[in-house]
Amino acid sequence: LSNVEANLSRFGLSLPITAPAMAKYSPVIVQDATAYLSGQLPREGDRVVVTGTVGRDVSVKRAREGVVISLLRGLAALKAELGSLDRIQRILKLNVYVQSAPDFFEQSVVADAGSELIYGIFGELGGHARTAVGVAQLPKNAAVELDLVAALQPTGR
Amino acid sequence: LSNVEANLSRFGLSLPITAPAMAKYSPVIVQDATAYLSGQLPREGDRVVVTGTVGRDVSVKRAREGVVISLLRGLAALKAELGSLDRIQRILKLNVYVQSAPDFFEQSVVADAGSELIYGIFGELGGHARTAVGVAQLPKNAAVELDLVAALQPTGR
Amino acid sequence: LSNVEANLSRFGLSLPITAPAMAKYSPVIVQDATAYLSGQLPREGDRVVVTGTVGRDVSVKRAREGVVISLLRGLAALKAELGSLDRIQRILKLNVYVQSAPDFFEQSVVADAGSELIYGIFGELGGHARTAVGVAQLPKNAAVELDLVAALQPTGR
């Protein structure tokens, strides 16, 4: 197990078994020492498991769970591409999109679930830039979506 | 013609003749081996030609056409900056914003039109990370908007 | 004073005194010669000072002021991280999110306030890629939010 996965297990979490292939684009693109992760929905297998509008039919607590599910799925995709999550040096930028009711303004609290998990698994290198916004609709009626850019360990040093 | 443009012609597509200058910012910024493309609307000349809300007054089919128009415009801007589109190694990340009706959740299907075109023109290096979200309003009432980050061919190697 | 701050003062602007720490993520991440700025709200101290929906209860003029306040706050965060704003070579990409009424489509005009300030303070290197979108809700009911990616001066050359 990578250190990242060992840290995940301390939170009672694990990576989903498979990161399903997507036909039209790539879950992860690696260029030089940077990895770009595609937008992740809170899916288990093919099914989006946290759907609806946050602040109306989805609670903050459930939306935060959706962020964690999305992030785990993203980590699984990164592992599938990189071989080991320990190749990730740190997360540079996390973008969180929250499908929001008109009077819901706690997008930051929802996104914090992802930021807290990143700190939990990357420790001292857990710092990351972040943007959270509320959007009107997400694909498949997902409550949340996230993507990120990660720096990879320098090689050959 | 660059290979990219030859591939475009196989789809019956061509670049718009001019990528109009924008006063307040740059269509494309190149830094080292990375190009950042500004948000592209589905314009022909100065006019946005695919306007309205997808899922209400714009069909999925028309929104997908809007994505193609926006991407062609972006490629024209890249060509204007780079001299040739063959300087692009691959697209690292594509972001697609869809102006969406409250009950429209097929943003991925709309964005697929762009991803399919990227595969069509970049072939084996067509893989790219992607995020698609639905937003409430886009500039000029455009139905779609997209931006991207591209890796350029390494030089002097 | 850095050149950037000298230029700011020509516009009658100055950096806010402190860029408050955020618990859950970092205002700025620097990796190699690139800086990633987290989403900035138009805050003074802890308080968001430009709230509401643009095109309904917030005017374009006030939203543009919100963009300037957000950008100044971002510059203050960059200075806190970098030591001096003169370490910034140029802004590569600016993203502007505008909390928008259903019939408000002038997101570009709002975002222009940020682009104009960037040109004003970076001069010849003021060119930057940009994307502006309208979103349904922003954290804390902020009228605008922005983030950016900046290139830093090459060192040791």
Side-chain angles (χ1 to χ4, degrees), chain C residues 135-152:
Chain C
V135 293
Q137 289 83 30
L138 288 172
K140 319 277 185 205
N141 194 22
V144 297
E145 180 173 1
L146 60 82
D147 65 21
L148 59 81
V149 182
L152 304 184

Side-chain angles (χ1 to χ4, degrees), chain A residues 107-132:
Chain A
Q107 288 81 14
S108 298
V109 178
V110 174
D112 282 349
S115 293
E116 290 161 9
L117 183 55
I118 289 171
Y119 272 99
I121 60 185
F122 290 99
E124 284 182 16
L125 282 170
H128 58 279
R130 192 185 85 188
T131 298

Side-chain angles (χ1 to χ4, degrees), chain A residues 85-91 122 125 150-154, chain C residues 31:
Chain A
L85 289 177
D86 288 342
R87 282 191 57 202
I88 299 177
Q89 184 179 51
R90 60 177 177 170
I91 306 302
F122 290 99
L125 282 170
L152 304 183
Q153 301 291 352
Chain C
Q31 180 78 2

Side-chain angles (χ1 to χ4, degrees), chain B residues 22-32 36-41 43 95 97 99 135-142 145-148, chain C residues 89-93 95 97 100-108 112 115-116 119 127-136 149 151-152:
Chain B
M22 299 179 201
K24 308 292 189 185
Y25 56 98
S26 301
V28 176
I29 291 291
V30 174
Q31 180 78 1
D32 301 327
Y36 297 81
L37 177 68
S38 289
Q40 301 294 311
L41 304 179
R43 289 183 202 250
N95 296 306
Y97 303 92
Q99 182 165 277
V135 292
Q137 290 84 28
L138 288 172
K140 319 279 185 203
N141 195 22
E145 181 172 1
L146 60 83
D147 65 22
L148 59 81
Chain C
Q89 184 179 52
R90 60 176 178 172
I91 307 301
L92 299 173
K93 178 76 191 290
N95 295 305
Y97 303 92
S100 299
D103 58 349
F104 180 73
F105 302 113
E106 298 303 309
Q107 287 81 15
S108 298
D112 282 349
S115 292
E116 290 161 9
Y119 272 99
H128 59 279
R130 190 186 87 188
T131 298
V133 300
V135 293
V149 182
L152 304 184

